[in-house]
Amino acid sequence: MLSCVEKRLPFSMRAFRVVQTILFLMFISRPCILLAQQKQPSCEILSQSQVSATINDAVKKQFAIDFPILRVYKYVDRSGQYYCVLTEKLDTVASEEEGKYDSLHLAIRAIDLREDSEKLKKVWEINDHANLDQKIEGVEQSIRFWTKYIEFTDFDGDGLIEPIIVYGSHSDSDLASGRIKFIIYYKGRKVAIRHQDSDLDEGRSTQIDKGFYTLPPKLKESIHTKMQAMNKADQAIFEKTSF
């Protein structure tokens, strides 16, 4: 039978075991420390000087950025650093009533670029234009990004930002007074909500991609909040069934 004295390890051996344990704990906790040190998802709007430095002539040529830049969002999450570039085509037309010139935007383009090894790579893009077909009801006079409702947020807390891009068109027709579109990017998937606005019940319609219903609750809630805000501001008429 071993005595208590016989069970004790020599001092040098005990010290070795203590050091060994400390090193092991440091090793297994390192991923947690590194994760805590990573930047939280964030987004900022670049200044004009920052835009000129980042989206320079070479970048514009590479990605065919031909329209004037409206705004550039820089966002960072655990997958990297991105630049979302919003551009709007500038078209100047004469007003028949007053004989003055008014600036309208008949086409838009958004392009999302990811910084990879000090180079930019395209992730996705959005292209749309005003419907100028005279044969249909509601010829659109202009189309623009609705920056008030654009958002770059990590809604589900996974460290990845889910972009929400919103834009709309304008028409003077009572039956088809304009379109509103929500484009959502979630884990590589594109989800769209297409709304045809109208002062008349028979002219309104909202098409929602099936993928919308599988999105995180907080993301869906954000979309519903934006719809309600548009209703309150008289920018659109979304039925409660659309929510």
Side-chain angles (χ1 to χ4, degrees):
M1 182 176 180
L2 297 175
S3 67
C4 293
V5 175
E6 291 172 330
K7 291 181 180 179
R8 294 178 62 186
L9 294 171
F11 176 80
S12 59
M13 182 61 71
R14 293 202 310 275
F16 174 78
R17 291 286 177 84
V18 170
V19 173
Q20 188 180 47
T21 301
I22 292 173
L23 290 174
F24 175 74
L25 292 174
M26 289 177 63
F27 176 79
I28 62 174
S29 65
R30 181 174 174 79
C32 297
I33 295 173
L34 290 175
L35 185 60
Q37 290 175 342
Q38 289 179 351
K39 291 183 179 180
Q40 294 297 315
S42 63
C43 177
E44 64 175 306
I45 298 172
L46 296 189
S47 66
Q48 188 58 51
S49 60
Q50 291 173 319
V51 171
S52 299
T54 306
I55 312 300
N56 53 40
D57 291 342
V59 173
K60 290 179 181 179
K61 182 178 180 180
Q62 179 182 358
F63 297 103
I65 300 175
D66 299 322
F67 299 163
I69 294 176
L70 170 68
R71 182 171 292 180
V72 177
Y73 295 87
K74 173 186 174 182
Y75 64 98
V76 181
D77 60 22
R78 66 179 176 87
S79 68
Q81 181 168 290
Y82 299 80
Y83 298 94
C84 182
V85 185
L86 306 184
T87 68
E88 297 177 339
K89 185 174 183 288
L90 183 60
D91 297 272
T92 303
V93 296
S95 171
E96 294 181 357
E97 296 180 359
E98 301 176 1
K100 296 180 179 179
Y101 286 92
D102 189 18
S103 297
L104 300 178
H105 305 271
L106 300 183
I108 60 171
R109 182 179 183 230
I111 181 168
D112 195 64
L113 305 173
R114 181 176 184 271
E115 196 171 85
D116 186 8
S117 301
E118 299 183 354
K119 294 182 180 180
L120 295 175
K121 293 185 178 180
K122 186 176 73 173
V123 182
W124 48 259
E125 70 175 286
I126 298 169
N127 293 278
D128 208 339
H129 58 84
N131 194 334
L132 303 177
D133 188 351
Q134 299 290 334
K135 298 178 181 179
I136 67 168
E137 179 71 30
V139 174
E140 295 172 346
Q141 297 177 332
S142 187
I143 185 169
R144 299 207 67 181
F145 288 106
W146 291 17
T147 54
K148 179 179 179 179
Y149 302 106
I150 290 176
E151 187 173 1
F152 296 83
T153 300
D154 175 15
F155 290 96
D156 56 3
D158 65 351
L160 298 174
I161 282 180
E162 290 85 40
I164 300 175
I165 308 298
V166 184
Y167 63 87
S169 63
H170 172 70
S171 167
D172 285 337
S173 169
D174 291 332
L175 182 62
S177 55
R179 293 176 295 130
I180 301 171
K181 196 166 183 177
F182 296 81
I183 303 292
I184 305 159
Y185 289 94
Y186 180 70
K187 297 187 185 302
R189 290 190 294 130
K190 176 183 176 182
V191 178
I193 298 175
R194 304 167 182 84
H195 176 73
Q196 175 62 62
D197 204 40
S198 174
D199 292 335
L200 306 177
D201 291 343
E202 60 268 27
R204 283 193 302 275
S205 64
T206 304
Q207 298 178 344
I208 302 176
D209 286 353
K210 292 181 179 179
F212 174 78
Y213 301 101
T214 63
L215 295 176
K218 288 185 178 180
L219 202 166
K220 291 188 289 186
E221 182 181 345
S222 177
I223 298 297
H224 296 159
T225 299
K226 295 178 195 301
M227 289 179 175
Q228 292 171 342
M230 291 176 188
N231 281 353
K232 188 175 181 179
D234 292 327
Q235 294 173 319
I237 301 176
F238 284 100
E239 306 290 346
K240 289 186 176 180
T241 53
S242 300
F243 301 166

